């Protein structure tokens, strides 16, 4: 085009004044402006019939059901599914990305083999041969890591690892791993499920329940449903944690407390409840009482946490007088918490009589497994990956000869990144099944890209935090765009090559069998007209019509079940509390208070392309991320607004700029996670720093669990 | 403000419950993909980034521990008396259709940016560059919204295409397209907000939830004293939040 808009406008402006009164120039301007916009390099929108199909988000850990809008059969937009109990119509920014991430520049387009410092594409057959050979040779020392907390793929992965001679099958650390450890120490089985829908007073200890903790979209819908706009809320939420994060921003009260003190706060509240006469038949109550009365009186707690005695007394009173109080404990950044604070929080639920009650906590049973020789979810969650890798790094634990990495990015998403990277280096053969070129894939010998959730069969079984058992289907609604395969199929193909019998030929069969197994679980039903929280509140559960389950799941409904597994009474695990929770002196060092947000993706997705726009310029500007301190801390550390600083911890340095934000506790440095990628694409790479790498891992006394909840940092 | 509020039988309005907004940004993500806004690599430059829906962080300006924050999602306010319309030399933006949605006709826009300057709510964005999608991602463009070339101004349209679709769906179902059920037409952000912080409907229709919501004693509009008579309402039980909705002098 010879004439651009600007030149054209100049031309028009030169000679028109005299012709203002005739309509012709106006008509010409209109025509010409249409013509100047006829630009062939602007993409055209697709045309064709519009329809909607259902699936479930797998990229977003909140597990929302999705309705995908398609045009001529191609997915266009991912929206919430109003009939799915974990969405109720809502979707996170991350779940929204399921469609456009199909075309993420970070996608791995074909299987690849390391060739010195770079990768060379290979065929799937070559990949299988190579893998069979290397894994055959590594027999007896094969480890696996999964970052998928909810998929039946873990059964295939762990069964195969076991048959190859397992050196350990690990889950990436998360809220679920911490909670599983706590429940084990309290002597119960199953996954703690929180019934927000029926609770009227919720005390949130640390957990960012409306952002990164568990079924966050569902948690928010439950929160909002009882808070009609402009009217008096029918529930009360109190948040305890180091910053007024996204959760605290909408809670009725924020009680500032260091993440390291969450257990102290819980036991401080227990003190008030005990004083008011709370009691329990549960094992260990007497020891618990002695521990609480011995060191968590109002003055002890005040000295340790700075929280005024009246504050905790009022919260205890509100909990005791609520109809359906609920206490939920977690890490403000979704990982790194010890088991003891979760035990302490759970003991409040026990004192309040909230176990297996509507609006309380239930120990949700695991769904039946279908792949012979697979680890249960509980067994997988029991592994301690940071401890294992630290052992490998120091030489205390023999390094596995081969490592299979599924849906996980340990080179980026673990604390003490420098140590973890050294440990990974010691493992001679590593395979990543990542869909995106992440930091871990970049270290591997083989990269065998998984198809994305919209291109494969997969499933979501009871994400951590859900108040009920829930199962929903992920199904292919688009042919793989690149030369990728469903990892389940690849692993089963590999098993065949190695003459290992895993019972199934392809992953779709595994999923079908899983669904068939659900029809045998008593009490299960399809959430359609009746939602699981209504059943928890007393409404009869509808019957399950067996043959239709697959169809119902395909249509986007979820299978659900309410109530907990039959089991021995939950104990107080007071001996763990005695060792791990101490109302000591407040920390004098500067403490990192990381926070995570779904809009910056997960370690596996990197920054979703559209989401950079959502990041405020007080969090990322240019290529620098900001830490947040309040003005008191800034003064104490001589920091100025906008100043460039260096943070050091765990042998790593990170750059940052300073943002003054008053809703951070004194002495704390709040730092956003999800930045500082060295891999992925231009939306992620080089944007800020990965502050998780500053966190040193310590062992929690009493439980032995790795924890990194309150890392000390130096600022210069 | 000169000019008069334009009245229509239907008045599409949004009511935003600030007390439920966590600031997650899901509404922005919903909007961008619904309306074919390109993924922006340098989005941290807020002077250049386009976001029809933008979540602002409000603060009560107090020091710890009395500090408080709130999040304010900001679409086009669809002013009843829109300052942007009166300044447009080519009538590329107008308020002339039942429903009261302020239109934006891209092929007509000459990019003079008067409206950008006139809009008191900063909801208008000028395309400084041609939009670029990563290779292949243009296959996920929505057919409901056209792609804008550089050089024109764009803004939130209350997902106007969804209204057209809702009317069509009503016709097919034998219902009255001019009297839609509550919820039959909602914008993408309203539909997807995980907190349920946003509500949408015809403010004049007593059968629609928003009809009552706008009468809440906690409801307010942004910069009400300008007389723009916006169709977006906010609700907060916190007084300091409501006060921030307008430019008050310290003494008021
Ligand atoms: S999606 Fe809802 S909660 Fe999130 S920022 Fe938008 S309005 Fe607020
Ligand atoms: S908010 Fe701005 S763009 Fe929207 S109608 Fe009002 S003046 Fe015009």
């Amino acid at each position: 085009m010879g004439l651009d808009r600007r030149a054209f406008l100049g031309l028009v402006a030169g000679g028109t004044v005299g012709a203002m009164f005739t309509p012709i120039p106006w008509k010409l301007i209109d025509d010409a402006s249409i013509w100047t916009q006829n630009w062939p390099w602007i993409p055209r929108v697709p045309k064709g019939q519009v329809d909607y199909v259902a699936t479930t988000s797998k990229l977003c850990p909140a597990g929302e059901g999705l309705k995908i809008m398609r045009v001529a059969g191609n997915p266009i937009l991912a929206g919430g599914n109003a009939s799915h109990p974990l969405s109720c119509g809502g979707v996170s920014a991350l779940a929204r990305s399921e469609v456009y991430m199909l075309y993420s520049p970070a996608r791995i387009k074909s299987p690849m083999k390391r060739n010195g410092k770079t990768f060379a594409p290979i065929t799937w057959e070559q990949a299988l041969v190579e893998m069979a050979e290397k894994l055959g040779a590594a027999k007896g020392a094969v480890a696996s890591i999964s970052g998928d907390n909810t998929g039946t793929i873990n059964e295939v992965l762990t069964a195969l690892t076991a048959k190859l001679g397992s050196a350990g099958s690990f889950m990436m650390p998360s809220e679920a791993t911490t909670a599983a450890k706590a429940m084990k120490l309290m002597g119960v089985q199953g996954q703690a499920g929180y019934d927000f829908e029926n609770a009227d007073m919720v005390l949130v200890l640390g957990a960012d329940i409306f952002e990164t903790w568990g079924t966050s979209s569902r948690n928010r819908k439950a929160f909002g449903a009882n808070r009609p706009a402009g009217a008096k809320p029918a529930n009360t939420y109190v948040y305890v944690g180091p910053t007024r994060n996204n959760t605290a921003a909408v809670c009725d009260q924020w009680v500032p407390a260091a993440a390291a003190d969450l257990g102290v706060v819980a036991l401080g509240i227990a003190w008030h409840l005990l004083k008011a006469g709370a009691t329990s038949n549960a094992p260990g109550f007497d020891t618990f009482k002695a521990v609480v009365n011995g060191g968590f009186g109002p003055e002890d707690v005040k000295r340790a946490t700075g929280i005024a005695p009246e504050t905790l007394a009022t919260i205890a009173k509100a909990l005791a007088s609520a109809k359906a109080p609920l206490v939920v404990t977690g890490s403000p950044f979704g990982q790194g918490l010890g088991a003891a604070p979760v035990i302490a929080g759970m003991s409040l639920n026990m004192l309040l009589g909230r176990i297996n009650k509507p609006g309380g906590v239930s120990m949700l049973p695991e769904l039946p497994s279908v792949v012979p020789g697979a680890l249960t979810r509980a067994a997988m969650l029991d592994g301690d990956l940071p401890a294992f890798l630290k052992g490998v790094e120091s030489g205390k634990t023999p390094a596995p000869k081969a490592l299979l990495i599924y849906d996980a990015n340990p080179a980026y998403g673990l604390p003490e990144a420098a140590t973890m990277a050294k440990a990974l280096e010691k493992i001679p053969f590593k395979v990543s099944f990542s869909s995106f070129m992440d930091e871990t894939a970049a270290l591997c010998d083989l990269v065998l890209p998984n198809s994305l959730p919209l291109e494969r069969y997969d499933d979501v079984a009871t994400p951590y935090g859900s108040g009920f058992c829930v199962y929903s289907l992920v199904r292919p609604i688009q042919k793989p765009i690149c030369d990728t395969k469903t990892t389940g199929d690849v692993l089963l193909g590999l098993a065949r090559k190695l003459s290992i019998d895993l019972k199934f030929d392809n992953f779709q069969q595994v999923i079908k069998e899983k669904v068939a197994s659900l029809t045998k679980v008593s009490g299960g039903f399809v959430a359609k007209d009746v939602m699981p929280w209504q059943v928890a509140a007393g409404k009869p559960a509808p019957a399950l019509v067996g043959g239709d389950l697959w169809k119902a799941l395909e249509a986007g409904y979820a299978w659900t079940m309410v109530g907990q597994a039959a089991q021995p009474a939950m104990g107080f695990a007071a001996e763990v509390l005695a060792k791990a929770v101490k109302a000591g002196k407040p920390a004098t060092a500067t403490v990192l208070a990381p926070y995570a947000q779904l809009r910056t993706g997960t370690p596996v997705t990197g920054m979703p392309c559209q989401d950079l726009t959502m990041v405020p310029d007080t969090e990322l500007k240019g290529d620098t991320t900001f830490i947040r301190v309040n003005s008191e801390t800034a003064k104490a550390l001589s920091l100025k607004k906008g100043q460039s600083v260096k943070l050091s911890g765990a042998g790593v340095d990170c750059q940052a700029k300073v943002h003054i934000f008053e809703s951070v506790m004194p002495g704390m440095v709040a730092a956003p996670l999800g930045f500082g990628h060295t891999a992925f694409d231009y939306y992620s790479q080089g944007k800020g720093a990965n502050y998780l790498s500053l966190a040193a891992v310590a062992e929690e006394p009493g439980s032995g669990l790795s924890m990194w909840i309150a890392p000390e940092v130096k600022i210069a | 403000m000169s000019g008069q509020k334009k009245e229509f039988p239907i008045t599409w309005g949004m009511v935003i419950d600030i007390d439920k907004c966590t600031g997650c940004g899901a509404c922005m993500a919903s909007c961008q993909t619904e309306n074919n806004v390109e993924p922006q690599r340098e989005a941290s430059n807020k002077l250049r980034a386009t976001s029809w829906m933008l979540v602002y962080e409000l603060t009560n300006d107090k020091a710890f521990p009395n500090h408080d924050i709130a999040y304010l999602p900001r679409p086009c306010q669809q002013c009843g008396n829109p300052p942007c319309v009166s300044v447009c030399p080519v009538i590329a933006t107008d308020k002339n259709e039942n429903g009261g949605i302020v239109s934006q006709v891209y092929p007509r826009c000459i990019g003079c940016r008067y409206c950008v300057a006139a809009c008191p709510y900063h909801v208008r964005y000028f395309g400084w560059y041609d939009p670029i999608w990563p290779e292949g991602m243009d296959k996920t463009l929505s057919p409901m919204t056209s792609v804008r070339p550089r050089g024109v101004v764009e803004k939130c349209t209350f997902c106007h295409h969804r209204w057209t679709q809702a009317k069509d769906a009503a016709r097919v179902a034998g219902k009255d397209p001019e009297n839609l059920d509550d919820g039959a037409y909602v914008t993408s952000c309203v539909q997807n907000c995980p907190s349920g912080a946003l509500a949408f409907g015809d403010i004049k229709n007593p059968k629609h939830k928003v009809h009552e919501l706008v009468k809440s004693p906690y409801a307010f509009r942004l910069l009400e004293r300008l007389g723009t008579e916006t169709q977006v309402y906010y609700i907060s039980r916190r007084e300091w939040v409501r006060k921030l909705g307008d430019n008050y002098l310290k003494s008021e």
Side-chain angles (χ1 to χ4, degrees), chain A residues 235-295:
Chain A
N235 55 27
T236 307
Y237 277 67
V238 176
Y239 182 80
V240 182
T243 63
R244 195 192 290 273
N245 55 11
N246 292 20
T247 297
V250 291
C251 284
D252 300 283
Q253 189 187 354
W254 170 45
V255 180
D261 289 335
L262 294 170
V264 178
V265 175
L267 296 186
I269 295 171
W271 186 91
H272 288 282
L273 292 176
L274 290 171
K275 187 162 167 266
T279 182
S280 166
N281 297 325
F285 176 66
D286 293 334
T287 328
F288 175 77
K289 201 168 169 180
V291 170
V292 171
N293 287 335

Side-chain angles (χ1 to χ4, degrees), chain B residues 75-79 82-85 93 102 115 118-124 155 228 230:
Chain B
C76 168
Q77 310 286 305
Q78 315 294 356
C79 304
C84 57
V85 164
T93 183
V102 175
C115 59
C119 169
Y121 304 100
H122 303 295
V123 315
R124 291 180 162 270
K155 70 157 191 87
T228 40
T230 63

Side-chain angles (χ1 to χ4, degrees), chain A residues 41 227 244 610 615 663, chain B residues 20 30 32-33 46 67 130:
Chain A
W41 57 90
R227 297 171 86 92
R244 195 192 290 273
Q610 284 284 3
V615 175
S663 278
Chain B
K20 280 216 276 281
S30 283
Q32 279 163 216
T33 34
K46 300 298 173 195
H67 186 245
D130 283 328

Side-chain angles (χ1 to χ4, degrees), chain A residues 6 41 72 80 102 121 195 262 414 481 524:
Chain A
R6 189 174 298 231
W41 57 90
L102 289 167
D195 184 6
L262 294 170
L414 288 178
I481 287 163

Side-chain angles (χ1 to χ4, degrees), chain A residues 5 37 39 41-45, chain B residues 31-38 40 50-52 104-107 109 125-133 141-142 144-157 161:
Chain A
R5 170 182 294 277
Q37 277 167 43
W39 294 1
W41 57 90
I42 302 300
R44 303 270 132 177
V45 299
Chain B
C31 174
Q32 279 163 216
T33 34
E34 176 89 15
N35 291 300
N36 294 339
V37 175
E38 60 161 341
Q40 298 157 77
T50 297
S51 35
W52 293 10
Q104 183 68 23
V105 186
Y106 310 121
C109 172
Y125 293 89
F126 180 68
W128 292 93
Y129 309 103
D130 283 328
I132 300 171
W133 278 261
L141 286 173
S142 164
M144 311 299 172
T145 318
S146 59
V147 173
R148 287 78 57 190
R150 106 175 102 100
V152 298
V153 169
E154 54 187 72
K155 70 157 191 87
C156 157
T157 62
H161 53 277

